[in-house]
Amino acid sequence: MCIKRYHWHLDRATVRDETIAIHGGYRGDDTRSVAVPIYQTVAHDFIDADHAAALFDLVTPGFHYNRINNPTVDVLEKRMAALEGGVSAVALASGMAAVRYAVRNITAAGSNVVAAPQLYGATYTLFAHVLPEEGVEVRFAVDDEPKSLEARIDDATAAVFCESIGNPAGNIVDLPAVCEMAHSHGVPVIVDNTVATPILLKPFEHGADVVVHSLTKFVGGHGTTLGGLIVDGGRFPWGEHPRRFPMFSRPEPAFHGVVYASDHPDSPYAVRCRTVGLRNGGATLSPFNAFLLLQGLETLAVRIERHGANAEAVARWLQKDPRVAWVSWSGFPDHPHHQLAERLCSNRYPSILTFGVIGGYEAGIRFFNEVKLFKRLVNLGDAKSLVSHPASTTHRQLTPEEQGLVGVSPDMIRLSIGIEHIEDLIADLDQALEATLP
Ligand SMILES: *Cc1c(COP(=O)(O)O)cnc(C)c1O
């Protein structure tokens, strides 16, 4: 809605990811500015009352009030939609806003969502403790196998939710099989693609219907900016399931009686998310943050290559080290998801990896305290290398049983490998491991 048509959707067919990440969604403004301008404004001047009415009714493209859309944010939305191969995107203030809006856009009290168990910590608590207060039940499957997810589906299931690559465990979900199973029940699949990024994996190519992102991580890439985004794949027939998704085929009371499925047939999901979720929920991304995220996006593809090469070197070095109990990196042939990584990520592997230090929880904490170059953070996807100890930080509010379910063990160290020189990274790991010895 409300967008100047830059024919951005043609980009996907003619140019590749690296090029879209730099040029997608932007053809210059009236000043011919090469950089995407920061439109730091709240509102836009109407030509007259008819123009205002047409903007409000979504019949003419443009901008009116920047809680709902903004020209700088709009470029980011188009660029990310093009990279993912979706039809439309809605940017939000954070990844958690994206997860929440993506689910609430298609649920009402009485709906349920079936979720894979290995999820980002705040997504897990949103699902386990917050959404149920709004009458939306989230049913966690015992694992992310299609059969386990299928066992939780019923007539009130509005979506299957999973992370393409799980944070923090690095597990990879068999998206083609999960999507085929869900679609056989008329249920859409929402995929959090934060850890993979569209450079490693494009969920729409494997059947997903909605993709969510925390742009805070690899897309921004420099640990400076929070942001989130929802991409509409444009294929799920929302209007054909009026009992499961009444919000798409009835006149929308929250937006002057629009019927999304028939009035906005190209992307009813994204238009509803903007006009109901964002307009009334208000988790708007600021134009300045959109600008910073666009800066990050320009170098995403080259950073992902370097992140991947460094992570491989670290994984192979750790695996040979006697102070290390185990290393989990999907590039190893004996990793349970190695074949999935090869199939879904075309032989490239994520740059987050986990390992256990000999000596358990206590040794894990000693290692964590001793690193010098690695930053002790709860973040990932930064140019800087980061270390976290999930059991004592991101996942400490979970019970030990919940920790086990989401794939966290007491000795688990998670590394997000940055793009520094590899020898400096290994030297730091080496000296920190020395501190774990009794
Ligand atoms: C960080 C993260 C989120 C939440 O994103 P914020 O931008 O921090 O709100 C959601 N999902 C995954 C997989 C993440 O890593």
Side-chain angles (χ1 to χ4, degrees):
M1 66 162 267
C2 298
I3 44 176
K4 260 197 233 161
R5 283 274 164 210
Y6 291 107
H7 302 293
W8 61 277
H9 53 283
L10 297 180
D11 291 352
R12 179 82 243 154
T14 50
V15 295
R16 293 164 187 80
D17 286 354
E18 289 81 349
T19 312
I20 293 174
I22 294 173
H23 298 284
Y26 184 64
R27 297 264 164 103
D29 70 350
D30 292 346
T31 70
R32 305 181 62 80
S33 167
V34 170
V36 177
I38 302 172
Y39 286 92
Q40 190 69 40
T41 184
V42 167
H44 301 258
D45 189 19
F46 302 125
I47 299 165
D48 55 23
D50 285 346
H51 179 225
L55 282 171
F56 274 94
D57 289 348
L58 311 181
V59 295
T60 197
F63 304 91
H64 48 97
Y65 188 68
N66 286 201
R67 184 181 343 103
I68 298 153
N69 61 2
N70 164 280
T72 310
V73 176
D74 185 62
V75 175
L76 176 67
E77 291 170 342
K78 291 204 184 82
R79 197 169 286 185
M80 281 297 294
L83 269 181
E84 284 288 9
V87 296
S88 184
V90 179
L92 295 153
S94 70
M96 282 317 299
V99 172
R100 183 189 176 86
Y101 283 38
V103 170
R104 289 301 273 110
N105 197 35
I106 53 171
T107 50
S111 309
N112 69 69
V113 171
V114 172
Q118 300 194 324
L119 296 171
Y120 177 68
T123 302
Y124 181 83
T125 45
L126 171 74
F127 285 2
H129 306 298
V130 181
L131 292 184
E133 290 182 350
E134 299 168 15
V136 178
E137 180 199 354
V138 181
R139 303 172 174 180
F140 294 96
V142 289
D143 56 40
D144 54 30
E145 292 296 321
K147 272 202 167 50
S148 316
L149 293 157
E150 187 170 32
R152 300 276 192 272
I153 290 180
D154 66 17
D155 286 348
T157 302
V160 167
F161 186 101
C162 65
E163 294 175 4
S164 49
I165 300 178
N167 174 11
N171 57 300
I172 301 175
V173 171
D174 189 348
L175 287 180
V178 166
C179 295
E180 195 186 316
M181 177 282 293
H183 292 162
S184 75
H185 295 275
V187 172
V189 180
I190 304 176
V191 177
D192 182 335
N193 202 34
T194 300
V195 174
T197 82
I199 302 300
L200 277 191
L201 189 158
K202 296 189 202 299
F204 294 139
E205 290 179 357
H206 305 292
D209 302 288
V210 173
V211 165
V212 301
H213 274 283
S214 167
L215 304 176
T216 314
K217 312 293 169 57
F218 287 102
V219 171
H222 299 81
T224 60
T225 313
L226 282 149
L229 183 105
I230 302 174
V231 193
D232 180 353
R235 283 195 305 248
F236 192 80
W238 305 99
E240 289 172 23
H241 300 277
R243 285 196 339 134
R244 213 186 280 271
F245 302 112
M247 58 288 274
F248 293 102
S249 26
R250 58 148 155 82
E252 173 62 57
F255 203 70
H256 53 72
V258 151
V259 180
Y260 290 103
S262 50
D263 294 347
H264 296 281
D266 292 346
S267 57
Y269 178 93
V271 176
R272 183 170 200 275
C273 191
R274 188 181 300 282
T275 53
V276 176
L278 183 55
R279 179 167 176 261
N280 303 291
T284 304
L285 182 70
S286 82
F288 186 65
N289 280 2
F291 172 82
L292 291 174
L293 294 167
L294 282 163
Q295 290 293 112
L297 193 48
E298 291 197 2
T299 56
L300 178 65
V302 286
R303 280 186 288 110
I304 292 292
E305 271 175 39
R306 174 64 170 260
H307 280 293
N310 276 357
E312 169 162 9
V314 166
R316 294 194 189 286
W317 182 83
L318 284 172
Q319 202 192 27
K320 292 203 198 88
D321 197 289
R323 298 162 294 187
V324 169
W326 55 270
V327 185
S328 174
W329 173 66
S330 51
F332 290 134
D334 61 352
H335 187 280
H337 298 143
H338 180 66
Q339 254 129 42
L340 273 172
E342 289 194 313
R343 195 147 56 83
L344 303 186
C345 307
S346 9
N347 293 318
R348 291 166 306 173
Y349 309 97
S351 55
I352 59 165
L353 55 96
T354 54
F355 71 100
V357 182
I358 287 182
Y361 186 86
E362 296 306 324
I365 295 218
R366 281 205 297 280
F367 173 87
F368 182 73
N369 287 342
E370 212 53 42
V371 292
K372 305 266 183 311
L373 191 58
F374 278 70
K375 299 289 174 199
R376 285 177 284 273
L377 286 187
V378 288
N379 188 16
L380 63 86
D382 196 317
K384 305 163 204 65
S385 288
L386 316 173
V387 59
S388 77
H389 182 236
S392 67
T393 56
T394 38
H395 291 68
R396 70 176 291 127
Q397 274 139 24
L398 274 55
T399 64
E401 296 73 48
E402 286 177 320
Q403 287 187 2
L405 193 68
V406 301
V408 168
S409 61
D411 63 341
M412 178 197 275
I413 300 283
R414 192 200 67 190
L415 301 178
S416 171
I417 303 296
I419 59 177
E420 300 95 334
H421 197 287
I422 184 61
E423 284 168 24
D424 298 330
L425 296 180
I426 288 182
D428 191 31
L429 295 171
D430 189 32
Q431 66 82 26
L433 279 170
E434 242 356 73
T436 66
L437 298 178

